[in-house]
Amino acid sequence: MIEDETSRCSILLIDDEPFSQQIIEHGLRTCVKHVLRYESSPKRAAELALEIGATVVLVDLRMPDLDGFEVTRLLRANRDTEHIPVILLSSEDDPEIKARAFASGANDYMVKWPDPRELVARVQYHSAACIARRERDQAFVSLRRSQEELAASQSALHQAQKMEAIGQLTGGVAHDFNNVLQIIGGNLQLLKLVGGLNDAARARVEMALAGVERGAKLSSHLLAFARRQPLQAVVLNPGHLLREMDDMMRRVLGPSARIVTEIDPSLGSTLADPNQLNNVLLNLAINARDAMDGSGTLTIRAANVDAADAPAEVPPGDYVMIEIADTGKGMPPEVLQRAFEPFFTTKPVGQGTGLGLSMAYGFVKQSGGEILLRSQAGMGTSVCIYLPRSQVEAAAPEPAVDTPLCGGLETILVVEDEADVRTSTCAILSALGYEVLEAPDAASAVEMIESGRHIDLVFTDVIMPGPVSSLQLGEVLRRCLPQAQILYTSGYAEGVLAHEGKLNPTVHLLQKPYHPDALSARIRHLLRRNRKAPKATGHSPARA
């Protein structure tokens, strides 16, 4: 067959006389690179021309079944062969017949038997023209494909930039929103600490605090969608995560959809980033909602899969499997094959970037797992995530009950630019017995630390105005007061304390809005570390 289409002639000879093959082959002996295929049946002309990738077709004019005119018209009527050059061979040197030949679509007309030099020249000329046309067509197709890919990339870039801007806006809004929640929640907790509330007032305060908690969860989900939270892999039980996401899943799918949850009671644990896993599952739920047009059944399954039961596509090992299955319209094979490709989407322009499944694929792969996609047009879609099962038991979820407040007599420096947040936090810590210092920004806090004032712990916001950052404040504290601890707080710490999307395990962060119980527990935990550490000379010991 053709080894180099750009330089080799592929010739198809249609003639009812077999000896004509020998004559033509002899005439083409000086045509160095050529392939000649002979066929006596003119009805197979188009089929054979495609099979050998013909660049020239030689057709005898007079044949019993179909003559050369009809064969030429047959080739021209086929979209795949309409541009292949046709040379009619005839023993008749008649101008009228030649005119009919060209009218039928022939590219050339030769009286047989032609001189070998003329035959080679004409065959090479028409073959080169055919190859040049094919190269031109391929170039146009490639150019059109490149233009389409460029347009798709530009659209995806625009969408990604828009989502990045929305993410930054969401982070800023969440920061301010969490500060507002902190002010409300802190003052409500102060009311409880001060006491003197009757039963009706206490019930109102509890109801308001429940609203603060709901607002905090909403803010957390906003940050998860925008991928603006510090992320860290921990040993977790996916069943607990799925149960916590139940309300959010129902809001995402809407009232017309039905959700069925099947979680194995003995479900094992896995090492994964809970926020990222949360984001992946929410994206899959959104895809299911769109596939079901807001109605249908979403089934969420979670089970242990042993090495012997794992699908062939999954590497050997024990896994925790999470399946998200819908009863939507499903995917045809050509869509299913490309579903994990970045920027590939079947949604209308502006309704998706095509990154949801590719992000899920990347997360699962980075977590050492496997993701399988099963779908059939009209039969729904199933996404199975296999995460390696951990031999370490996941920590039990923190109980929702209040833990007793615990105070002390140490000195705490509160650094917070929001005056109302700072005031309520200082009041809570003072009510717990601590000596409280306060600073409106990191620069003021640095001056206080460098003045030699005794400080046991600095409780500082992450994002603050001014020339000194919270990280620089931490460096000054470690240099001047190496025994002192630092506890960060923020409603939006992305890009400040997180490196490559992961929070440094040495960084202690309390997310806003925080409950006084959580604040007191974190402070006591860090101050106990102070007591265990050897005392440094030149600094006063912490007050007990």
Side-chain angles (χ1 to χ4, degrees):
M1 201 54 67
I2 305 173
E3 296 177 0
D4 184 0
E5 189 179 2
T6 61
S7 60
R8 183 182 290 272
C9 300
S10 180
I11 306 161
L12 174 63
L13 172 62
I14 306 293
D15 198 313
D16 60 325
E17 296 291 346
F19 71 85
S20 61
Q21 179 183 7
Q22 298 176 0
I23 297 176
I24 295 297
E25 183 63 64
H26 177 76
L28 293 173
R29 66 186 183 280
T30 60
C31 185
V32 179
K33 294 183 179 180
H34 76 275
V35 172
L36 177 65
R37 172 71 177 269
Y38 169 74
E39 176 58 45
S40 60
S41 173
K43 294 181 180 180
R44 299 189 61 207
E47 175 188 347
L48 291 174
L50 290 175
E51 181 181 317
I52 69 170
T55 57
V56 177
V57 177
L58 302 177
V59 183
D60 186 29
L61 179 61
R62 302 301 180 186
M63 292 182 289
D65 294 332
L66 297 175
D67 61 22
F69 302 132
E70 293 173 305
V71 172
T72 302
R73 285 191 286 267
L74 181 66
L75 291 170
R76 294 292 174 258
N78 190 317
R79 181 178 179 182
D80 296 323
T81 61
E82 61 179 336
H83 297 302
I84 299 177
V86 176
I87 301 177
L88 282 179
L89 299 175
S90 175
S91 58
E92 305 170 68
D93 189 7
D94 185 337
E96 182 65 28
I97 296 177
K98 291 180 181 179
R100 287 183 58 194
F102 289 117
S104 66
N107 298 82
D108 209 341
Y109 186 98
M110 299 185 71
V111 178
K112 57 184 183 183
W113 297 106
D115 183 276
R117 291 169 296 179
E118 181 181 3
L119 175 65
V120 170
R122 294 199 186 192
V123 165
Q124 289 181 334
Y125 171 80
H126 291 296
S127 180
C130 179
I131 292 172
R133 183 185 183 93
R134 289 177 181 175
E135 290 175 345
R136 183 203 66 184
D137 292 344
Q138 290 174 357
F140 276 123
V141 170
S142 178
L143 177 61
R144 183 168 60 252
R145 186 182 299 114
S146 298
Q147 290 175 333
E148 292 172 353
E149 291 174 354
L150 177 60
S153 298
Q154 289 174 334
S155 176
L157 176 61
H158 175 72
Q159 184 74 2
Q161 290 173 334
K162 182 174 71 173
M163 293 304 296
E164 179 66 20
I166 292 174
Q168 292 176 353
L169 176 63
T170 301
V173 170
H175 177 262
D176 293 338
F177 185 51
N178 283 330
N179 275 335
V180 172
L181 290 175
Q182 186 59 53
I183 295 170
I184 298 171
N187 283 284
L188 289 170
Q189 291 292 344
L190 277 173
L191 285 176
K192 289 179 63 178
L193 287 174
V194 171
L197 299 175
N198 58 33
D199 292 342
R202 181 173 290 277
R204 295 291 182 183
V205 169
E206 293 292 348
M207 188 181 301
L209 286 172
V212 171
E213 291 184 7
R214 288 181 60 188
K217 288 183 179 179
L218 173 61
S219 178
S220 175
H221 285 308
L222 286 174
L223 289 172
F225 271 119
R227 300 185 299 281
R228 286 296 187 274
Q229 286 182 314
L231 305 176
Q232 190 171 19
V234 297
V235 178
L236 58 87
N237 187 305
H240 300 321
L241 180 66
L242 290 171
R243 293 184 187 96
E244 290 173 358
M245 292 177 62
D246 186 73
D247 289 341
M248 173 60 74
M249 289 283 197
R250 295 184 187 281
R251 283 196 292 270
V252 167
L253 266 71
S256 300
R258 176 172 172 259
I259 298 180
V260 177
T261 304
E262 301 173 2
I263 301 176
D264 187 344
S266 61
L267 188 67
S269 57
T270 186
L271 181 65
D273 187 314
N275 292 317
Q276 189 73 353
L277 180 57
N278 177 85
N279 190 40
V280 166
L281 295 176
L282 285 175
N283 270 299
L284 295 178
I286 292 171
N287 285 347
R289 178 199 64 191
D290 295 343
M292 297 188 299
D293 294 327
S295 61
T297 300
L298 178 73
T299 303
I300 302 173
R301 298 185 182 92
N304 297 321
V305 175
D306 297 331
D309 300 325
E313 300 93 331
V314 178
D318 296 333
Y319 294 90
V320 173
M321 186 275 293
I322 304 173
E323 181 183 13
I324 307 293
D326 64 65
T327 57
K329 52 192 174 185
M331 305 179 195
E334 61 273 15
V335 173
L336 183 63
Q337 188 176 9
R338 302 184 59 193
F340 287 129
E341 292 183 11
F343 304 120
F344 176 75
T345 178
T346 57
K347 296 179 182 179
V349 176
Q351 294 188 19
T353 61
L355 291 173
L357 281 174
S358 63
M359 288 166 52
Y361 178 87
F363 162 73
V364 173
K365 287 291 187 180
Q366 290 174 357
S367 301
E370 187 62 69
I371 181 168
L372 302 181
L373 185 62
R374 312 289 190 197
S375 186
Q376 188 175 349
M379 301 295 290
T381 300
S382 167
V383 182
C384 289
I385 295 173
Y386 294 84
L387 296 173
R389 203 185 314 167
S390 173
Q391 299 301 319
V392 180
E393 289 294 328
E398 295 184 2
V401 297
D402 291 338
T403 56
L405 289 170
C406 181
L409 301 176
E410 291 88 353
T411 300
I412 298 176
L413 171 59
V414 177
V415 188
E416 171 63 63
D417 62 299
E418 285 278 349
D420 291 336
V421 175
R422 188 173 67 250
T423 299
S424 62
T425 300
C426 290
I428 290 173
L429 293 175
S430 296
L432 293 175
Y434 294 106
E435 180 180 350
V436 182
L437 309 175
E438 57 181 286
D441 52 50
S444 302
V446 167
E447 292 180 6
M448 200 173 299
I449 292 170
E450 292 180 338
S451 70
R453 183 69 184 265
H454 173 77
I455 297 171
D456 295 295
L457 182 141
V458 173
F459 182 50
T460 177
D461 192 15
V462 172
I463 301 176
M464 289 182 295
V468 182
S469 70
S470 57
L471 292 179
Q472 292 171 324
L473 171 60
E475 293 172 359
V476 172
L477 183 67
R478 283 189 292 272
R479 184 179 71 250
C480 298
L481 298 173
Q483 288 186 349
Q485 300 292 322
I486 185 166
L487 175 61
Y488 294 97
T489 182
S490 181
Y492 172 50
E494 188 267 341
V496 180
L497 299 179
H499 301 279
E500 296 182 353
K502 294 184 179 181
L503 191 67
N504 191 316
T506 63
V507 172
H508 302 283
L509 176 68
L510 180 62
Q511 203 76 19
K512 288 181 180 179
Y514 46 81
H515 194 280
D517 297 345
L519 174 62
S520 67
R522 294 295 295 275
I523 288 176
R524 290 318 308 166
H525 171 72
L526 292 175
L527 289 176
R528 279 195 294 271
R529 295 175 57 179
N530 260 6
R531 297 186 178 208
K532 294 177 181 178
K535 304 298 182 183
T537 59
H539 294 283
S540 302
R543 293 188 301 270

